[in-house]
Amino acid sequence: MLLAATMVSVVAALSILILLIYFVRPIFSVEGLKAVISWEWRPFSGHFGIMPMMVGSLCLSLGALLLACPLAVGISSFVCVLAPKKPAKIVNAVIHYMTSIPTVIYGFVSIFLLVPLIRDWLAKGTGLSLLTATLALSILILPTIVLVYSAYLREKDSSMRLTAAAIGLSRVQYFLFVLLPLTRKGFVVASILGFGRAIGDTLISLMLAGNTPLIPGSLFDSIRTLTAHIALVIATDSQTTFYHSVFAAGLLLFLLMALINIIIRKLGGKAS
Amino acid sequence: MIKQLGFIIFFTLFVLISGNFHAQAISLSDFDQFEGGIDIAGGTAHIPVMNEAAKRIMMQNPRIRISVAGGGTGIGVQKAGEGLVDIGNTGRALSQEEIDKFGLVSFPFAIDGVAPIVHPQNQVTALSSDQIRAIFFGQITNWNELGGNDARINVYGREEASGTHEVFWGRLLNKGEIVQTANIVQSNGAMKVAVAKDANAIGYMSIGHIDESINPMAVDGVIPSQETAVDGNYPVIRKLYMNTKGEPSPLVNAFIQYIYSDDGAEIISASGYIPSK
């Protein structure tokens, strides 16, 4: 039974990969890889480059991860170790609730609140920017990271708490010097999941990042992610040449995710 | 033999009746005989018309269920072509490739204009078509060059294959290259929200979606509206299409004929478009 379940997920992942490669083939033969792996998206003059979108995807999801991870560690420590029972319970409930808020709500609310704020306060650009999307996305992936990481924290905490108390460590010392190093693996796993959620998210970047197919020069520039690119092209097109670039974008996304997965795992492995 | 003859007579009658349907505009009460569902998806400009027609038909006969979804012109072609929906809406004529691949039949039903739009508080209310091109090509970047405030012009555009984009780009921008830094939004509704929230914005959208939250920009002295589009003074117009895979089923055909009826024309006008007949 378990074997069957494992097989299903492995086969599903593999067949997606194979299907993507199959669909990308026309580009390999017709346009040549050069057309897709280039830095310009101007489909009507024959430039089908999706590299700016890849950079956009990477900047956005790494940015969101950078913002969400420290926050998540803080919240997890608060909920699991440091806080008194009652506030911990409330925060925990809020985090659980946050997982059930649909992405489109974050996007929608951000358009009306965050975008004008960023436009007026910073007086730069249109408010639809890398920064806006990063902020919204970090909130989106926060509960994922918190929930996974605090599961690890709780497990270690239950076996370590008495020992630490016996040595005479304060709660903060206990968290910083005992729990944090012990749960490094949990942190890696949690951030992989968070990253996966971030790079796969479409609506936040589609609604908030401005979708300009250029490489961002600053946080206030507008970007287009691979996922938003797929959504934009699919929504209005079906038979032209640049339709195939969508599958290239999909393949790239798939490979990117795999690569980051491996890197984070390697880093985590070395550290522990 | 008699059974076969009966079948042939029945079939002939059926063809005659349904042929009749095809020719005649129908009214709401004609939907009483039907039962079943119609799924509609595609172009976002069509939604107000589809929704109102669907509402009236479902109020008349609750056994008919009509679902209306957006997605965009490409989704309309794709979904109708793959047989996932009964009617796929497009904001542009189908390309020959699309017709060949899917065997789609098109039903144009309305004329829509695409207008440049700005924030209501923008002091610039009229531009020449040359000036509009200069803005979208990135040659004019500040509103004060056009008599407005000293503020950067924020250009909003649509994705390359959108029906709205195609007509604006083709008819007004003469297929020139739109500045790469333009923000791209994914529907007429999103364009309205973006421009309504940004005092320095310029964008373009379907005339049917214009309301008091944004201002249409007069082009060469003509304010884009239903009236100026119908009398030919405003040239940036297109047709809206419903598409079916092959000939439509009787129920779907009835829906299309309803859009073509006087009731349908009234719905189309009320949604801000011009009935195409």
Side-chain angles (χ1 to χ4, degrees):
Chain A
M1 199 49 206
L2 274 176
L3 183 73
T6 323
M7 285 310 284
V8 166
S9 47
V10 170
V11 167
L14 272 182
S15 46
I16 289 173
L17 182 64
I18 290 166
L19 213 71
L20 278 173
I21 292 173
Y22 173 79
F23 277 118
V24 171
R25 252 189 2 184
I27 300 180
F28 280 105
S29 45
V30 180
E31 303 288 338
L33 261 182
K34 241 168 117 187
V36 177
I37 313 291
S38 73
W39 299 96
E40 237 179 317
W41 172 259
R42 284 188 290 146
F44 289 107
S45 14
H47 296 279
F48 304 107
I50 53 172
M51 286 296 109
M53 288 67 142
M54 194 193 71
V55 174
S57 268
L58 272 179
C59 286
L60 177 60
S61 35
L62 288 177
L65 202 62
L66 269 175
L67 222 75
C69 274
L71 260 176
V73 171
I75 293 173
S76 309
S77 68
F78 181 81
V79 170
C80 302
V81 189
L82 302 175
K85 267 231 167 87
K86 209 154 192 200
K89 225 176 183 176
I90 293 170
V91 173
N92 202 21
V94 170
I95 292 288
H96 273 268
Y97 174 69
M98 279 172 76
T99 55
S100 64
I101 300 175
T103 322
V104 67
I105 304 278
Y106 285 118
F108 194 69
V109 170
S110 302
I111 279 199
F112 285 94
L113 296 177
L114 194 61
V115 171
L117 215 68
I118 289 193
R119 174 164 51 224
D120 297 342
W121 278 6
L122 302 171
K124 264 182 186 162
T126 58
L128 297 170
S129 64
L130 177 57
L131 178 68
T132 321
T134 307
L135 289 173
L137 197 60
S138 63
I139 292 177
L140 177 81
I141 64 174
L142 185 65
T144 310
I145 305 178
V146 169
L147 288 181
V148 174
Y149 184 57
S150 49
Y152 277 86
L153 264 185
R154 279 210 188 84
E155 190 195 319
K156 290 288 171 203
D157 181 41
S158 60
S159 61
M160 288 292 160
R161 178 168 287 217
L162 281 178
T163 323
I167 302 173
L169 291 176
S170 77
R171 284 200 154 187
V172 177
Q173 287 171 325
Y174 164 57
F175 176 74
L176 282 179
F177 302 117
V178 180
L179 278 185
L180 216 49
L182 276 176
T183 53
R184 187 162 278 157
K185 190 170 157 244
F187 179 71
V188 170
V189 172
S191 46
I192 288 178
L193 278 173
F195 181 80
R197 217 135 178 228
I199 203 165
D201 185 79
T202 313
L203 267 175
I204 296 271
S205 62
L206 189 64
M207 293 172 87
L208 302 178
N211 301 315
T212 301
L214 295 174
I215 296 157
S218 81
L219 269 176
F220 312 108
D221 281 354
S222 147
I223 57 152
R224 184 187 292 194
T225 59
L226 286 169
T227 47
H229 179 66
I230 293 175
L232 278 173
V233 174
I234 287 261
T236 45
D237 190 21
S238 66
Q239 294 308 313
T240 55
T241 10
F242 54 92
Y243 183 60
H244 294 288
S245 87
V246 161
F247 293 102
L251 184 65
L252 204 59
L253 204 59
F254 197 95
L255 296 177
L256 206 63
M257 189 60 218
L259 190 75
I260 297 287
N261 235 304
I262 293 168
I263 292 177
I264 297 186
R265 262 174 207 285
K266 275 262 152 65
L267 284 178
K270 243 184 224 153
S272 61
Chain B
M1 185 64 197
I2 290 173
K3 236 182 182 176
Q4 264 177 336
L5 204 67
F7 178 72
I8 290 171
I9 290 172
F10 177 77
F11 188 70
T12 324
L13 270 177
F14 180 77
V15 169
L16 276 177
I17 291 171
S18 53
N20 239 1
F21 259 52
H22 206 96
Q24 252 176 21
I26 66 168
S27 68
L28 274 179
S29 55
D30 291 314
F31 283 94
D32 285 339
Q33 53 177 315
F34 290 113
E35 196 176 338
I38 308 176
D39 291 322
I40 303 171
T44 50
H46 309 57
I47 293 175
V49 178
M50 297 292 131
N51 270 342
E52 182 59 28
K55 197 175 95 193
R56 292 191 188 183
I57 292 168
M58 289 191 287
M59 298 252 279
Q60 170 75 23
N61 180 354
R63 284 170 301 151
I64 298 175
R65 180 195 51 77
I66 304 175
S67 75
V68 180
T73 288
I75 295 278
V77 176
Q78 199 83 359
K79 283 199 163 172
E82 304 285 357
L84 298 173
V85 295
D86 303 301
I87 298 176
N89 291 322
T90 56
R92 56 174 167 82
L94 298 180
S95 69
Q96 197 54 47
E97 288 152 319
E98 286 167 339
I99 295 170
D100 291 347
K101 181 166 181 198
F102 295 122
L104 292 172
V105 183
S106 290
F107 300 88
F109 67 95
I111 297 167
D112 177 27
V114 178
I117 53 164
V118 290
H119 193 272
Q121 274 154 27
N122 199 320
Q123 288 163 4
V124 183
T125 53
L127 291 171
S128 71
S129 45
D130 283 334
Q131 285 171 317
I132 290 175
R133 279 191 282 274
I135 293 174
F136 278 93
F137 300 163
Q139 292 144 3
I140 297 179
T141 54
N142 196 308
W143 283 111
N144 65 12
E145 293 174 58
L146 304 162
N149 297 331
D150 180 18
R152 205 179 78 118
I153 299 178
N154 294 332
V155 178
Y156 289 83
R158 292 284 306 276
E159 66 282 8
E160 284 83 6
S162 131
T164 310
H165 173 84
E166 189 176 276
V167 59
F168 190 79
W169 180 67
R171 295 271 175 96
L172 193 55
L173 302 185
N174 297 342
K175 306 205 170 190
E177 184 127 345
I178 293 180
V179 61
Q180 284 250 308
T181 50
N183 281 171
I184 306 296
V185 293
Q186 76 281 20
S187 68
N188 277 303
M191 179 65 89
K192 184 156 75 185
V193 172
V195 174
K197 292 271 152 201
D198 185 348
N200 303 318
I202 187 166
Y204 47 90
M205 75 179 192
S206 147
I207 287 179
H209 278 255
I210 290 176
D211 59 19
E212 61 285 349
S213 70
I214 41 114
N215 252 1
M217 174 77 79
V219 183
D220 295 329
V222 181
I223 295 172
S225 72
Q226 216 174 334
E227 292 77 35
T228 53
V230 82
D231 65 21
N233 279 326
Y234 186 69
V236 190
I237 52 172
R238 59 159 168 180
K239 280 185 178 168
L240 301 180
Y241 299 81
M242 295 177 277
N243 304 281
T244 58
K245 192 177 175 68
E247 287 299 321
S249 71
L251 174 57
V252 173
N253 187 45
F255 180 86
I256 292 170
Q257 295 309 320
Y258 182 69
I259 297 283
Y260 280 143
S261 72
D262 290 344
D263 274 15
E266 178 224 317
I267 296 173
I268 293 168
S269 304
S271 305
Y273 306 119
I274 304 131
S276 66
K277 48 171 193 186

